[in-house]
Amino acid sequence: MGDVHPAEITVLLGRVRDGDRSARDELLPLVYKDLEAIARAYVNPAQSLEPRGLVHELYLKIVASREAVDARDRKHFFAIAALAMRQILSDGARRRRACKRGGDQVQVTLSGMADGEAARDVDALAIEDALAKLEALSSRQARIVEMRCLLGLSVPETAEALDLSERTVHTEWRQARAWLAR
């Protein structure tokens, strides 16, 4: 990902962890294009949130928050970012689904809904629910699925990011895919 040297991002992440607010301001421009690429993989054209909007929501959620971003390095940061993007989208889908079921006390007719809108929300929620169930069974397999599917990391990159052997990643990846297929 990106043209920026990984060590530069790792240094900035260390400064962010230490509470340096100026490092947060320096970090976003360096990782923005990569975050937007990850967001494009998450957002489909029919959703109300566009990739840039998702990146901005992400920034508000993890970078501009009072809590320090606890990322060890560039790959770990992007893994955290991908997970946060998934959560932002699934939270939005849940809110829309709750509103459709009367959660906002305003009646909505089916004729006012765009074709396939409900199906897209269910798909986002189905993915989130499946990963949450997998997380309950094996947090390591859930992290591997996130890194492989959501970040597009290779087996060696996933192994390095999670501090596992490539053989372990292969085995866990195969098991996770089989479980998700069921």
Side-chain angles (χ1 to χ4, degrees), residues 60-169:
L60 293 173
K61 181 175 177 132
I62 68 167
V63 178
S65 71
R66 284 189 161 80
E67 298 174 22
V69 178
D70 192 23
R72 294 181 305 268
D73 56 27
R74 178 179 154 275
K75 286 181 184 176
H76 190 218
F77 172 78
F78 286 119
I80 291 169
L83 177 60
M85 285 183 195
R86 191 184 91 215
Q87 291 169 343
I88 290 166
L89 290 173
S90 62
D91 289 348
R94 280 191 184 90
R95 279 192 303 276
R96 286 189 301 278
R97 186 170 69 177
C99 289
K100 289 176 191 174
R101 293 204 168 94
D104 63 351
Q105 301 300 312
V106 175
Q107 278 194 323
V108 178
T109 63
L110 290 177
S111 62
M113 231 180 351
D115 289 339
E117 184 178 324
R120 280 187 297 280
D121 287 347
V122 170
D123 289 345
L125 291 175
I127 291 167
E128 176 66 24
D129 290 343
L131 280 172
K133 288 176 184 174
L134 180 59
E135 172 85 32
L137 295 172
S138 171
S139 62
R140 182 165 62 188
Q141 286 181 6
R143 294 293 82 74
I144 290 170
V145 169
E146 289 167 359
M147 297 218 169
R148 299 277 291 133
C149 294
L150 306 178
L151 280 177
L153 296 182
S154 66
V155 169
E157 290 170 329
T158 301
E160 180 184 336
L162 296 176
D163 197 26
L164 299 170
S165 71
E166 288 183 33
R167 182 180 177 124
T168 299
V169 171

